[in-house]
Amino acid sequence: MSIHTIQRETQVEITVERSRFVALSFRISSASDGKSKLKETQMRFPGATHYCYAWCLREGREEFSSDGGEPPGNAGKPILWALRRFRVTNTMVVVVRYFGGKKLGIRGLIEAYGEAARMVLEKSGLIEYRRAYLFLVAMSLPHRNWFINRLLAITGKQTELVFGEDETATFRVLENEKEQVEAFLRQMQREGKILKFEFREG
């Protein structure tokens, strides 16, 4: 069966026994990305009672969930189960709860968090996941245009590059392009046209 990722980041909201549950979906490529998205969510929704979340990375080989102060296993796990049911990777769901004054009990919590996660994943839409690698390259300014043209020749398509102020370039390539791009960068490094490079799955 195919592995998917979400097509777009979005949010939904449901109310259960006067408690508001706001579910948000995110595309992430690492645990660090997930922690950043959690901080952003906490800033967007200040004063919430709980911030519960889960993510799946690396085609299910890396998973994590947090109950965010809810009873253990009643919030993060239902979110993670939803991610598994949708067979998504590199995806995170955060469910923000504003307590409405009435306790929901174990079953009520599991159903509320699971339903919120299910709804936001449905709204996000799914696309087939294709493994990609994120490259970070430090280069000298005179070789920038030459580098762009060579990368185009290797991949056969226009690759989106993001240049930083410190003359670093960040770009993604698909798994079937990785070996050739890596060999190209090693050759450039030997020739002194780039200073260094690194990459990771993402």
Side-chain angles (χ1 to χ4, degrees):
M1 295 178 66
S2 298
I3 300 294
H4 299 88
T5 191
I6 56 172
Q7 189 170 13
R8 56 189 170 273
E9 298 181 345
T10 189
Q11 74 178 62
V12 299
E13 181 174 333
I14 62 174
T15 301
V16 180
E17 298 290 354
R18 300 193 302 274
S19 281
R20 290 175 56 211
F21 293 84
V22 184
L24 304 97
S25 62
F26 299 103
R27 287 188 292 263
I28 62 172
S29 59
S30 66
S32 178
D33 285 350
K35 292 173 183 177
S36 295
K37 294 298 184 182
L38 177 63
K39 289 181 180 179
E40 290 176 15
T41 302
Q42 290 169 333
M43 293 178 65
R44 283 181 59 192
F45 298 91
T49 316
H50 302 283
Y51 303 89
C52 309
Y53 61 94
W55 64 60
C56 287
L57 292 164
R58 302 175 64 232
E59 298 167 67
R61 297 192 300 275
E62 182 180 342
E63 297 178 335
F64 185 81
S65 65
S66 170
D67 295 305
E70 293 280 25
N74 293 347
K77 282 292 190 291
I79 299 170
L80 181 59
W81 295 336
L83 290 167
R84 289 173 177 171
R85 281 197 301 272
F86 280 81
R87 294 183 59 81
V88 291
T89 188
N90 290 24
T91 302
M92 176 182 188
V93 170
V94 182
V95 180
V96 179
R97 182 188 182 189
Y98 289 90
F99 182 58
K102 182 177 180 180
K103 293 184 178 181
L104 301 182
I106 293 175
R107 181 173 179 178
L109 288 172
I110 291 173
E111 290 179 350
Y113 281 102
E115 178 66 4
R118 181 193 66 79
M119 289 177 64
V120 79
L121 288 170
E122 282 190 349
K123 186 177 178 181
S124 298
L126 301 179
I127 55 175
E128 186 174 353
Y129 172 74
R130 300 177 69 188
R131 187 181 297 175
Y133 292 85
L134 180 69
F135 279 80
L136 176 65
V137 181
M139 70 180 71
S140 57
L141 183 61
H143 297 111
R144 178 185 288 193
N145 290 335
W146 183 86
F147 177 82
I148 293 172
N149 291 332
R150 285 291 295 135
L151 193 60
L152 174 62
I154 291 172
T155 62
K157 65 180 187 297
Q158 196 71 43
T159 302
E160 181 181 358
L161 289 94
V162 178
F163 287 95
E165 295 180 357
D166 55 352
E167 290 306 317
T168 58
T170 305
F171 61 93
R172 278 186 172 85
V173 299
L174 296 177
E175 184 176 28
N176 63 331
E177 302 164 337
K178 171 183 170 289
E179 186 174 341
Q180 196 171 3
V181 169
E182 187 179 357
F184 159 62
L185 293 175
R186 293 195 188 284
Q187 180 63 35
M188 285 190 68
Q189 192 172 29
R190 286 193 292 269
E191 295 174 1
K193 293 177 180 176
I194 66 171
L195 303 176
K196 62 179 180 178
F197 74 93
E198 58 187 56
F199 65 90
R200 61 176 171 83
E201 186 178 333

